[in-house]
Amino acid sequence: MAVQRGRAGTIAAVSALGLTAVLGGCGLTGDSGEVTLKLVAADYGDSTANSSKKYWDALVKEYESKHDGVRVEVSVYSWNDVDRKVKELVDAGEAPDMAQIGAYADYADADQLYTADDLVSIPVQADWISQLSNAGEVNGIQYGMPFAASTRLLFYNKTLFTDAGLTPPTSWAELAADAEALKAAGVKYPYALPLGPEEAQAETLQWLLSGGGGYTDTLGTYSIDSSENTDTFTWLKDDLVGKGLTGPVAPGKLNRADAFAAFANGDVGMLNGHPSLMKMAAKKGVKFGMVAMPGETGQSKISMGVADWMTAFKKNGHAEQIGDFLDFVYSEKNVLAFSREYDLLPVTNSASDAMSAAKQDAGLKPFLDELPLSETYPVGETSWAQVSAAVKKGIGQAVASGGSPASVLSGLQATAAAAQAAR
């Protein structure tokens, strides 16, 4: 009746329905009486009707109905506010038990978090997609538990492509040729290149990976100014932006949300997008296709992956109760429900397999197929937040008229090196 919690965890008494205070002589060690767990979560909805609060309310109601003595209070904040709110709570000495947020490294570095081993059962840990589990590690120890994932594909407007007699590109040269034809046909944004401050770090990484580079090298050391990365941005500047193939808004001033809206309005021939763009485009009646990101000489072998994280703070204790609740959160049923509600990719193999086989999830299959091939931001580095901010602020200058890709990337590398040295 007891299961081991984590590879180095304690032994917890659980019933068939989950954690109980007393069952057939098996007792829960530690706290007695009612325990209240506090969770701060991000809102993935775009309206009150599909706010993440509704998801958590239903999940918590089911959990509490099966677990006497454990209450879970969830506070949901927008992505504009959630990371700041958690930091304020931690700084005030009022850390929540759990926080579902965008980063974890600073808290792990300050020894404020439980490890995954401290909390969740071995079957749950084994079910996480390995790339995401590895991305949640600091110095080989996992603190960030993947909660939601996404990859990027190249979206193209089928109507515009058909009218211009084009096929989807598989290489940079084909992408540029398609963009030339779309420009000649009067398309406003032949290729939308959002390097504005909203999410420039994502578009940047997608292109760096397609050119054989990335933010870091194979050893995990920042290599932003590598020859591969410099070549990639030189090509972007000379062969796309410089030839007027990226539209009327300078890439450094074009944000992702505006680029997505333009695609949904039929004004964009091609752009990198994540699953939520499917619903936006379909709602506006735009016929679109999706292919893997073109690479320098052929289809890119690595896609960009993004993950959001569940973390658990040590301040209040309650490791046993947190772990049992998270085992419930990461059940196949709940992961599937969340992923389907918000057009996100599941972070577990079981839910991913289920979605890959389900007709209702056919639209997400291309993204699911890319996830095992994806590479994420270096989120395990406490320096990443500073580096990401610098990329958002300055990468647009690399492709601007008169700009120097080598100089901009060298400056970002210097920022990254200084941030690492200050750890």
Side-chain angles (χ1 to χ4, degrees):
M1 180 164 69
V3 297
Q4 186 175 2
R5 305 200 62 79
R7 290 185 290 272
T10 59
I11 301 298
V14 298
S15 71
L17 296 177
L19 192 66
T20 57
V22 178
L23 177 62
C26 293
L28 174 66
T29 59
D31 297 328
S32 59
E34 185 171 281
V35 169
T36 297
L37 302 178
K38 293 186 177 182
L39 165 64
V40 175
D43 195 350
Y44 290 83
D46 55 14
S47 67
T48 303
N50 72 340
S51 168
S52 293
K53 185 176 188 307
K54 292 181 66 175
Y55 170 81
W56 286 112
D57 285 349
L59 184 147
V60 166
K61 182 178 180 181
E62 181 181 356
Y63 182 80
E64 291 180 347
S65 72
K66 301 171 183 177
H67 297 77
D68 292 336
V70 180
R71 287 178 46 79
V72 183
E73 294 180 357
V74 184
S75 301
V76 175
Y77 295 89
S78 75
W79 272 109
N80 292 329
D81 301 320
V82 66
D83 289 294
R84 173 183 55 79
K85 180 62 178 179
V86 171
K87 185 178 187 303
E88 289 174 353
L89 289 170
V90 172
D91 290 347
E94 301 172 358
D97 296 283
M98 295 165 282
Q100 186 270 298
I101 47 180
Y104 63 85
D106 284 344
Y107 299 123
D109 189 60
D111 194 30
Q112 294 172 320
L113 300 179
Y114 285 116
T115 70
D117 276 349
D118 293 330
L119 301 169
V120 299
S121 64
I122 290 173
V124 167
Q125 292 187 55
D127 198 25
W128 284 326
I129 293 170
S130 59
Q131 286 90 337
L132 303 180
S133 288
N134 294 339
E137 293 181 354
V138 175
N139 298 324
I141 299 173
Q142 187 178 356
Y143 296 91
M145 293 167 278
F147 183 76
S150 179
T151 54
R152 299 290 196 271
L153 291 171
L154 183 76
F155 281 67
Y156 65 96
N157 184 309
K158 282 188 173 182
T159 302
L160 297 178
F161 265 62
T162 298
D163 290 347
L166 303 175
T167 56
T170 61
S171 67
W172 290 358
E174 291 177 6
L175 186 148
D178 286 351
E180 287 273 15
L182 291 166
K183 179 183 179 183
V187 175
K188 189 173 182 180
Y189 293 89
Y191 178 86
L193 183 67
L195 295 177
E198 180 191 0
E199 204 188 34
Q201 82 284 3
E203 183 75 12
T204 296
L205 181 55
Q206 187 78 334
W207 277 100
L208 296 184
L209 293 172
S210 74
Y215 286 122
T216 59
D217 59 23
T218 55
L219 299 177
T221 303
Y222 283 109
S223 57
I224 300 173
D225 61 349
S226 69
S227 59
E228 293 87 354
N229 293 344
T230 302
D231 288 346
T232 294
F233 266 82
T234 299
W235 185 88
L236 281 172
K237 180 177 185 293
D238 294 343
D239 289 66
L240 277 189
V241 180
K243 293 181 178 179
L245 303 179
T246 54
V249 180
K253 297 184 181 299
L254 182 64
N255 282 324
R256 183 201 65 184
D258 295 327
F260 277 21
F263 186 84
N265 286 331
D267 292 331
V268 174
M270 299 172 281
L271 84 169
N272 285 319
H274 53 60
S276 69
L277 182 56
M278 294 189 299
K279 186 178 292 185
M280 287 180 61
K283 188 175 181 180
K284 290 290 192 75
V286 171
K287 296 179 180 179
F288 61 89
M290 302 175 296
V291 294
M293 176 69 180
E296 186 173 8
T297 57
Q299 196 173 78
S300 180
K301 294 179 173 58
I302 303 177
S303 175
M304 187 195 74
V306 179
D308 298 324
W309 306 97
M310 178 68 75
T311 60
F313 289 86
K314 296 191 291 186
K315 180 174 176 55
N316 303 321
H318 305 153
E320 200 113 344
Q321 293 87 350
I322 293 171
D324 188 74
F325 176 67
L326 290 179
D327 277 358
F328 181 73
V329 168
Y330 284 104
S331 68
E332 181 179 327
K333 181 188 76 168
N334 288 326
V335 173
L336 277 172
F338 181 84
S339 301
R340 285 170 171 160
E341 177 66 28
Y342 300 107
D343 291 323
L344 292 164
L345 304 185
V347 297
T348 61
N349 290 299
S350 59
S352 185
D353 290 344
M355 290 185 79
S356 293
K359 288 184 179 180
Q360 73 182 93
D361 302 310
L364 285 173
K365 193 171 189 314
F367 295 97
L368 291 166
D369 291 343
E370 287 291 307
L371 191 56
L373 309 173
S374 65
E375 181 175 315
T376 64
Y377 306 126
V379 289
E381 300 291 343
T382 57
S383 56
W384 171 240
Q386 186 175 341
V387 174
S388 177
V391 171
K392 290 179 181 181
K393 181 178 180 181
I395 195 64
Q397 288 301 311
V399 297
S401 177
S404 166
S407 177
V408 171
L409 294 176
S410 178
L412 290 172
Q413 177 65 22
T415 296
Q420 278 289 88
R423 290 172 58 197

